[in-house]
Amino acid sequence: MTATATRYLYLVRHGEASPDESALTEAGRRQAELLGRRLQDVPLAAVHHGPLPRARQTARLIGDQLDGVPVHLSEAAGDYVPYMPERSELPPESADFYLRFLDGASAEEREDGPGLARRAMDLFTGPVEGEEDRHELVVTHNFLVAWLVRDAMHAPKWRWLGLNHGNAALTVIRYAPDRPASVLVSNDMRHLPAELRWTGFPPELHI
């Protein structure tokens, strides 16, 4: 079948996690519940989530607010470095900063991340076959949200760096046939009260 229908991809960074990242905080659980309520009127076909506890718990709490939407584990929705740039690709004034940041990536992340990112692109992006539009939610981590937004904007591969998303913030990308991808919503926190917004950002970036 030909991809003749539009995909609406809803991207969510997990809720606020405990310092050891083993579970959501009380604030993170509340963020997930409120996001689930916001999505109740969206005709979601599925919820996909990464394997780590903070993404899995967020997805389950969102799913509890939805009516019969299946929730699936996907390794491609995990936390990994999607692309490791060379110094020559980076702006000279920020190359040292970004390369220091990426020094913290493990050998496994460097080896497995690009393949998982390609898998995520295959699974979650582009128009869909058939005649019915498809709405899907992916509960993941900041790096993958940034990578998919970068791709939708046709930005250079390194530009996933510096794209930041708050905990339980909502981003929506539309993939229509024969048209470029369109970022409809980015880092939207309307569903959260003021005290639950901007977690996941350093204090100086809270607005």
Side-chain angles (χ1 to χ4, degrees):
M1 297 180 68
T2 302
T4 56
T6 297
R7 184 201 304 265
Y8 291 88
L9 180 64
Y10 298 73
L11 293 168
V12 172
R13 185 183 180 187
H14 59 81
E16 182 184 65
S18 60
D20 65 1
E21 300 184 335
S22 64
L24 296 182
T25 64
E26 179 58 36
R29 291 190 291 273
R30 181 68 174 151
Q31 288 170 330
E33 291 168 356
L34 290 170
L35 178 55
R37 293 180 190 176
R38 176 175 177 179
L39 295 171
Q40 284 177 338
D41 294 330
V42 175
L44 290 170
V47 176
H48 308 276
H49 65 85
L52 296 179
R54 56 195 187 276
R56 183 177 66 248
Q57 292 174 19
T58 300
R60 294 297 175 185
L61 288 167
I62 291 172
D64 287 346
Q65 303 297 319
L66 307 176
D67 185 14
V69 179
V71 178
H72 305 294
L73 169 66
S74 174
E75 294 290 335
D79 192 16
Y80 50 83
V81 174
Y83 179 76
M84 294 290 295
E86 300 290 337
R87 175 179 288 274
S88 60
E89 298 175 70
L90 299 170
E93 65 275 11
S94 55
D96 286 341
F97 172 81
Y98 284 131
L99 292 173
R100 283 196 302 270
F101 172 75
L102 291 169
D103 277 344
S106 67
E108 182 179 10
E109 287 177 309
R110 293 170 184 266
E111 182 176 351
D112 296 344
L116 287 167
R118 289 191 295 272
R119 180 65 174 154
M121 293 288 295
D122 291 341
L123 289 173
F124 304 134
T125 71
V128 294
E129 296 179 349
E131 299 180 356
E132 294 187 8
D133 293 347
R134 183 174 179 86
H135 298 253
E136 295 177 283
L137 172 65
V138 176
V139 180
T140 182
H141 304 265
N142 187 58
F143 289 178
L144 182 57
V145 178
W147 178 250
L148 296 176
V149 169
R150 175 220 62 82
D151 177 76
M153 299 297 291
H154 295 278
K157 289 183 177 181
W158 70 267
R159 201 60 186 89
W160 70 270
L161 291 160
L163 296 179
N164 299 298
H165 300 82
N167 293 122
L170 181 64
T171 294
V172 183
I173 304 174
R174 179 179 62 198
Y175 300 94
D178 302 317
R179 294 170 59 183
S182 178
V183 179
L184 303 180
V185 175
S186 180
N187 206 39
D188 189 350
M189 306 180 206
R190 285 179 292 169
H191 47 283
L192 302 176
E195 65 272 15
L196 294 180
R197 296 179 184 178
W198 298 105
T199 61
F201 282 78
E204 65 271 17
L205 296 181
H206 293 192
I207 297 174

